[in-house]
C-alpha cells in the first residue's frame, strides 16, 4: 500500500511515521530526511538544498522529483511506501501519481494531520533532533531520558537550524501558499483521512490506525 503523510511543518509526520510503517510493513520515504542526510555528508545536493531549507522555502520540484523517483524504484518499495513530506506541490503530486499508475499502483490513503499554527510554532521551537539517527524529541512533551543524548543511539540531540522561530514562520507561510492547496488536488483522487493532530501522540497514532483499517 502506498500512503501519503500530509500536513504542515511540526504536525507530527515524523513522529507518526515509524508506527505507520510498522503496521503496514512499508519503508519510510521522508524527503526532508533525505536532504538532511545530504547536508550532513556535504554533497552538492545538500549544498543546493540548504539554500532553500534555511530560508523556509521549498527545494525545486525537478530536484525533489528526481530524488523520489530514484528511491521508489528500490526493491524495498515494491510493495508500497510511506511518503512523508512529499508531494508538496501539484507538479510533485502529478509526478507521483503518474509513476504509481505506470506500475499499476495507486495511493491507498492520504493521512492529513491538522494542527493550529500556534501549536506548530511551540512544537517546532521546542523540538530537538538526533544528529546521528534523526529521532525527534520535544523539550516538554517528549524529552530524551538523558538531556542532549538520543534514547535510540546515544547520538547528540540538538535543535535543527530551520527550527528557529523566524524560519518556522517562513515554513508555515510556504506551507499555506504552496502545499495546503495540494490537498484539493489529492481529494478527488485518493481517500483522504483528516486526523486531529493536536491530541496526545498515542491518540493520534490510534486514530491513524483506525483510518487505515477503515
Ligand atoms: P521536512 O523535514 O519534511 O520538514 P517539515 O514538513 O517542515 O516537517 P517537520 O519534520 O518539521 O515536522 P513533522 O510533521 O515531521 O513533525 P515531528 O513529528 O517532527 O522538510 C524540511 C525542509 O526540506 C522543507 O522546509 C523544505 O525546504 C525541504 N523539503 C522537504 N520535502 C520537500 C518537498 N517535497 N519539496 C520541496 N522541498 C522539500 O513533530 C514536531 C515536534 O512536535 C517534535 O518535537 C515532536 O516530538 C512533537 N510532537 C509530535 N506530535 C505531537 C503531539 N501529538 N503532541 C505533542 N507534541 C508532538
Amino acid at each position: 500500500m502506498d500512503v501519503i503523510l500530509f500536513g504542515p511543518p511540526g504536525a507530527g509526520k515524523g513522529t507518526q511515521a515509524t508506527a505507520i510503517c510498522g503496521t503496514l510493513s512499508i519503508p519510510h520515504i521522508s524527503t526532508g530526511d533525505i536532504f538532511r542526510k545530504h547536508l550532513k555528508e556535504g554533497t552538492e545536493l545538500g549544498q543546493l538544498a540548504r539554500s532553500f531549507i534555511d530560508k523556509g522555502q521549498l527545494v525545486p520540484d525537478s530536484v525533489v522529483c528526481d530524488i523520489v523517483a530514484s528511491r521508489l524504484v528500490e526493491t524495498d518499495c515494491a510493495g508500497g511506501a510511506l511518503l512523508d513530506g512529499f508531494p508538496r506541490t501539484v507538479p510533485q503530486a502529478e509526478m507521483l501519481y503518474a509513476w504509481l499508475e505506470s506500475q499499476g499502483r495507486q495511493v491507498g490513503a492520504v493521512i492529513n494531520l491538522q494542527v493550529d499554527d500556534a501549536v506548530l510554532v511551540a512544537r517546532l521551537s521546542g523540538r530537538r533532533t538526533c544528529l546521528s539517527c534523526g529521532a525527534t524529541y520535544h523539550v516538554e512533551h517528549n524529552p530524551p531520558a538523558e538531556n542532549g543524548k538520543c534514547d535510540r543511539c546515544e547520538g547528540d540531540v540538538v535543535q535543527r537550524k530551520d527550527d528557529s522561530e523566524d524560519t518556522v514562520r517562513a515554513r508555515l507561510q510556504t506551507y499555506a501558499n504552496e502545499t495546503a492547496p495540494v490537498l484539493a488536488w489529492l481529494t478527488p483522487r485518493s481517500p483522504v483521512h483528516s486526523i486531529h493532530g493536536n491530541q496526545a501522540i498515542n491518540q493520534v497514532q490510534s486514530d491513524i490506525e483506525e483510518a487505515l483499517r477503515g
Side-chain angles (χ1 to χ4, degrees), residues 4-8 11-12 16 20 109-116 123 183 192-213:
I4 293 174
L5 189 48
F6 195 86
Q16 298 297 334
I20 299 172
V110 176
I111 301 295
N112 174 37
L113 293 179
Q114 296 178 307
V115 181
D116 292 342
R123 279 190 190 178
L183 201 60
V192 174
H193 306 278
S194 288
I195 306 285
H196 182 35
N198 190 17
Q199 309 176 83
I201 290 172
N202 288 347
Q203 186 59 50
V204 176
Q205 184 182 327
S206 87
D207 285 3
I208 292 173
E209 281 170 3
E210 193 183 326
L212 290 172
R213 271 197 302 271

Side-chain angles (χ1 to χ4, degrees), residues 7-16 30-33 35-36 52-53 56-59 64 84-88 92 123-124 126-128 136-138 141-142 160 162-163 171 197 199-201 204:
K13 302 184 295 297
T15 301
Q16 298 297 334
S30 157
T31 41
D33 285 351
F35 290 134
R36 279 184 289 280
F52 297 95
I53 293 172
Q57 298 170 352
L58 296 183
V59 177
V64 186
D84 163 359
F86 183 92
R88 271 169 141 107
Q92 290 180 18
R123 279 190 190 178
L124 291 177
R127 175 166 64 180
R128 299 294 180 267
T136 57
Y137 300 92
H138 189 277
H141 313 296
N142 182 24
R160 245 166 69 175
D162 62 342
D163 281 345
R171 288 162 64 196
Q199 309 176 83
I201 290 172
V204 176

Side-chain angles (χ1 to χ4, degrees), residues 128-148:
R128 299 294 180 267
T129 306
C130 175
L131 279 176
S132 299
C133 73
T136 57
Y137 300 92
H138 189 277
V139 287
E140 286 169 26
H141 313 296
N142 182 24
E146 187 186 340
N147 192 21

